[in-house]
């Protein structure tokens, strides 16, 4: 994870020295995540995100971010006449590195963006029946995914809608990939 942060800082510093447009801001929002489990019916869980972003460039830009998020998923099963349901929640540190294109004027523009995201799980909790509880504690701490979305800037206010898909499994044992939709609002400090 240190390599990703260091790379982002080097790119920001290089862009500033080339007199590119630079902005730094805070963001927060809501996400709707789902974990696809083998042989279980999965449902969406509502979570949060809050953190920082930087944007370097004009019409084509680079946007590294660092934020905390709450994600996870709900599931239920009715196999062998045994019904159960539960949920798993993750507290994550996310580091996306997005490349985008903006259209419009400085105080009103629309954007599209995409890029990779590294997610490190800081905490994991679950709510499952006792007879299946141990199976739901084997999650990977590090995951790689992608984000793609669109946004709008109105003055210093910025809003994004993004889709995030997992490229790695959240568990080697039973769960496949996590995906989510995220809606965030931010404020450019400078």
């Amino acid at each position: 994870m240190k390599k990703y942060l260091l790379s982002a800082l080097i790119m920001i510093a290089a862009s500033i020295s080339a007199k590119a447009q630079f902005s730094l801001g805070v963001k927060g929002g809501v996400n709707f995540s789902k974990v696809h489990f083998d042989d279980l019916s999965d449902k969406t869980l509502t979570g949060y995100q809050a953190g920082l972003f930087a944007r370097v460039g004009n019409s084509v830009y680079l946007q590294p971010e660092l934020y905390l998020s709450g994600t996870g998923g709900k599931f239920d099963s009715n196999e062998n006449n045994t019904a159960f349901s539960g949920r798993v929640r993750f507290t994550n540190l996310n580091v996306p590195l997005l490349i985008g294109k903006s259209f419009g004027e400085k105080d009103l523009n629309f954007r599209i963006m995409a890029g990779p995201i590294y997610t490190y799980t800081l905490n994991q909790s679950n709510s499952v029946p006792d007879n299946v509880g141990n199976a739901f504690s084997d999650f990977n701490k590090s995951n790689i995914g992608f984000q793609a979305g669109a946004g709008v800037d109105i003055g210093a206010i910025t809003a994004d809608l993004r889709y995030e898909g997992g490229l790695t499994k959240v568990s080697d044992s039973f769960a496949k990939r996590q995906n989510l939709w995220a809606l965030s609002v931010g404020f450019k400090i400078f």
Side-chain angles (χ1 to χ4, degrees):
M1 186 170 83
K2 291 179 183 178
K3 293 187 295 185
Y4 294 108
L5 292 174
L6 182 59
S7 297
L9 291 174
I10 290 172
M11 286 189 281
I12 290 170
S15 296
I16 291 172
S17 67
K19 298 188 194 269
Q21 182 180 351
F22 174 79
S23 58
L24 180 68
V26 295
K27 65 179 269 183
V30 62
N31 63 50
F32 306 96
S33 60
K34 186 184 285 190
V35 177
H36 296 285
F37 294 97
D38 293 335
D39 303 322
L40 298 175
S41 174
D42 43 67
K43 296 178 182 173
T44 303
L45 186 70
T46 303
Y48 67 91
Q49 60 176 267
L52 304 170
F53 71 91
R55 195 174 299 154
V56 181
N58 293 317
S59 70
V60 175
Y61 63 89
L62 182 66
Q63 183 167 315
E65 298 181 352
L66 179 66
Y67 60 88
L68 288 174
S69 70
T71 63
K74 297 178 187 177
F75 55 88
D76 37 65
S77 175
N78 195 7
E79 286 187 20
N80 303 328
N81 295 326
T82 304
F84 67 90
S85 64
R87 73 168 187 252
V88 61
R89 288 188 180 272
F90 304 106
T91 302
N92 305 310
L93 180 64
N94 300 283
V95 184
L97 183 57
L98 306 169
I99 297 173
K101 171 79 174 138
S102 64
F103 307 91
E105 302 298 320
K106 180 181 178 184
D107 289 330
L108 176 62
N109 67 67
F110 298 92
R111 299 174 285 105
I112 56 173
M113 80 275 309
I117 180 170
Y118 171 75
T119 301
Y120 183 79
T121 302
L122 300 170
N123 186 28
Q124 180 251 317
S125 64
N126 59 47
S127 169
V128 294
D130 291 337
N131 59 338
V132 294
N134 289 337
F136 287 90
S137 60
D138 183 28
F139 289 96
N140 298 327
K141 289 275 192 187
S142 294
N143 291 288
I144 303 290
F146 67 92
Q147 287 187 348
V152 63
D153 294 333
I154 303 170
I157 306 296
T158 181
D160 289 348
L161 175 63
R162 296 186 201 161
Y163 174 79
E164 182 179 318
L167 297 174
T168 57
K169 291 183 175 185
V170 293
S171 171
D172 297 327
S173 302
F174 57 88
K176 297 191 190 245
R177 291 164 175 79
Q178 179 172 251
N179 60 30
L180 61 88
W181 284 95
L183 179 62
S184 64
V185 176
F187 182 77
K188 292 185 256 181
I189 298 168
F190 63 87

